[in-house]
Amino acid sequence: MPKQWARKSRLAVGLMSGTSMDGIDAALVRLSGTAERPRVQLLAFVSRPYPSAIRQRLMRVAGGGPTTSGEISELNFLLGELFADAVHKVCRRGGVSAERLAVIGSHGQTIFHQGQPEPTARKRSGQPVPSPTVSRASTLQIAEPAVIAEKIGAPVVADFRTADIAAGGQGAPLVPLVDYLLLRDARRGTVALNIGGIANFTVIPANARPEEVFGFDTGPGNMVIDGLVRHFSLGRKTYDASGCWAARGHVIDPLLAEILRFPFFQRKPPKSAGREQFGRHFVGRFFLKRRGARLEDLLRTATELTARSIADALDRFVLASVSVHRLIVSGGGAHNRLLVRRLKELLPRLSVCLSDRFGLPVDAKEAIAFAVLADRTIHGLPGNLPSVTGARKSVVLGTLTRP
Ligand SMILES: Nc1ncnc2c1ncn2[C@@H]1O[C@H](COP(=O)(O)OP(=O)(O)O)[C@@H](O)[C@H]1O
Ligand SMILES: [Mg+2]
């Protein structure tokens, strides 16, 4: 489709479920302007928690636990239905009939991601990867797009990460191009920080060209905090609301120092992380072995680990070469008051604010990004930034399923 056709305003839904596996986020947006320089207005947003039995199965499968190809195939179709339900819900909330959608961009649920060939990944992270037989870079997101397209009656773009990996990239992160499109500033250097299960940055120097943008994962976002809460509440709770629990504890300094020596934090970007690095094994190895430690102290230490690893990564790998004025925070971790307070304290020279201020509510931002990326795909525009993912070239992302 010629690019100039994209000028008229169009409706799109973005669907996202990240490494937290808390549930499906759906954002209904109106896009206007060209696909190359879109303007985005959020019309409605819903977040649909996974039923706990499904979350447990996904955690097991994504955590390298026992499964079968039959189970993965079944989950793929089951999630397709849940993702389609989320589209219906968000359209109802926005007062829009779902068949009017120009496109749905569905990230799906990652159940495996290895951005680099295994020997490199293993050497660099300093940790064994769960499946020693896997040697090449690969990625797998599920939530069958054919099910979504059939149930909704609109075209679906999915499997965003594969084309970047095929082009030699890490397949992640993909949101940086959207950050560039929506948050760049002519005079002020900007860092967009998303605190999901994993925390990651997009660095956008003042007046940057796309190839000057870079980004990487800084380490755990909520993943370690959530893991501790789940363990100690025997699965009854899944996160530390507002960081209140951690706020009652003290940092265990020797433990924090030991973890910050972990090779991942020292390594230069580009780098990406997931449940493979900071999931169950990590929580068990560093936190659960400390007999007698109080839960609130462990949580306080996990929260400090997130804040410190973010601030250290900025100091080490960003502020030395780029002048940064503001840090725009999004993701579920933006609700953790203790975490945001610590970021402000550790980065006193930056103006720290939430993405809501830019029309991108913290919970909706990543889902919005996949609506924008899908719009690019159907207009034949690339969606990755080689400077971020390490791909040999920019490529059009995703597969298109027509209803
Ligand atoms: N009110 C809150 N207080 C503290 N943490 C929260 C709150 N709401 C959500 N979170 C955290 O955010 C996580 C979900 O964030 P999200 O951005 O959806 O991550 P992901 O992209 O990995 O799914 C939850 O697992 C939880 O740790
Ligand atoms: Mg989530």
Side-chain angles (χ1 to χ4, degrees), residues 90-377:
V90 78
C91 287
R92 200 169 311 143
R93 184 160 299 173
V96 161
S97 102
E99 309 86 74
R100 281 182 53 209
L101 297 173
V103 70
I104 296 166
S106 174
H107 173 271
Q109 179 68 59
T110 297
I111 58 167
F112 186 80
H113 182 83
Q114 188 172 297
Q116 296 167 296
E118 186 262 331
T120 331
R122 181 188 286 244
K123 205 168 71 208
R124 289 199 165 169
S125 73
Q127 243 203 339
V129 288
S131 168
T133 53
V134 176
S135 64
R136 52 173 61 236
S138 76
T139 189
L140 184 57
Q141 284 74 40
I142 59 170
E144 179 49 49
V147 174
I148 306 173
E150 168 64 23
K151 287 196 162 258
I152 306 296
V156 178
V157 177
D159 289 321
F160 285 89
R161 301 193 185 278
T162 46
D164 184 79
I165 291 200
Q170 297 213 9
L174 298 179
V175 176
L177 175 60
V178 180
D179 287 335
Y180 173 75
L181 293 172
L182 302 183
L183 297 172
R184 69 179 185 273
D185 191 278
R187 283 172 325 213
R188 287 168 300 183
T190 299
V191 173
L193 166 68
N194 191 73
I195 313 176
I198 295 294
N200 64 275
F201 275 163
T202 305
V203 182
I204 315 166
N207 204 22
R209 284 171 288 127
E211 56 275 21
E212 290 166 331
V213 174
F214 63 103
F216 58 96
D217 289 348
T218 61
N222 303 295
M223 193 173 278
V224 177
I225 302 170
D226 287 0
L228 285 168
V229 170
R230 254 197 316 273
H231 178 84
F232 283 97
S233 70
L234 303 173
R236 280 191 292 272
K237 289 205 164 74
T238 55
Y239 63 92
D240 179 14
S242 301
C244 287
W245 215 340
R248 294 199 292 268
H250 298 280
V251 176
I252 306 168
D253 288 313
L255 175 59
L256 180 65
E258 183 192 349
I259 299 175
L260 287 172
R261 285 196 294 273
F262 193 56
F264 179 86
F265 300 113
Q266 318 294 329
R267 222 179 86 202
K268 281 196 192 131
K271 54 184 176 178
S272 60
R275 227 159 251 293
E276 295 79 4
Q277 286 78 28
F278 297 108
R280 230 157 31 93
H281 294 285
F282 181 88
V283 173
R285 171 175 163 198
F286 287 106
F287 287 86
L288 302 181
K289 282 221 207 90
R290 288 194 85 88
R291 305 221 172 277
R294 299 187 319 154
L295 168 61
E296 49 268 45
D297 293 344
L298 292 174
L299 274 175
R300 181 72 181 81
T301 307
T303 308
E304 191 67 13
L305 170 65
T306 297
R308 273 287 304 276
S309 54
I310 291 168
D312 288 356
L314 257 176
D315 276 336
R316 252 186 233 159
F317 305 122
V318 180
L319 298 180
S321 53
V322 180
S323 148
V324 176
H325 176 85
R326 53 185 192 167
L327 181 72
I328 302 174
V329 185
S330 62
H335 297 294
N336 186 321
R337 289 210 211 118
L338 172 65
L339 182 54
V340 174
R341 194 192 83 209
R342 286 299 295 140
L343 283 172
K344 288 180 176 168
E345 288 168 357
L346 290 166
L347 299 163
R349 283 194 303 229
L350 295 189
S351 143
V352 178
C353 63
L354 301 184
S355 62
D356 300 60
R357 190 184 287 185
F358 303 88
L360 305 167
V362 295
D363 294 312
K365 180 171 171 270
E366 295 242 307
I368 292 171
F370 281 92
V372 174
L373 288 174
D375 184 59
R376 290 182 69 85
T377 297

Side-chain angles (χ1 to χ4, degrees), residues 17-18 20-23 25:
S17 178
S20 298
M21 300 191 172
D22 50 327
D25 301 327

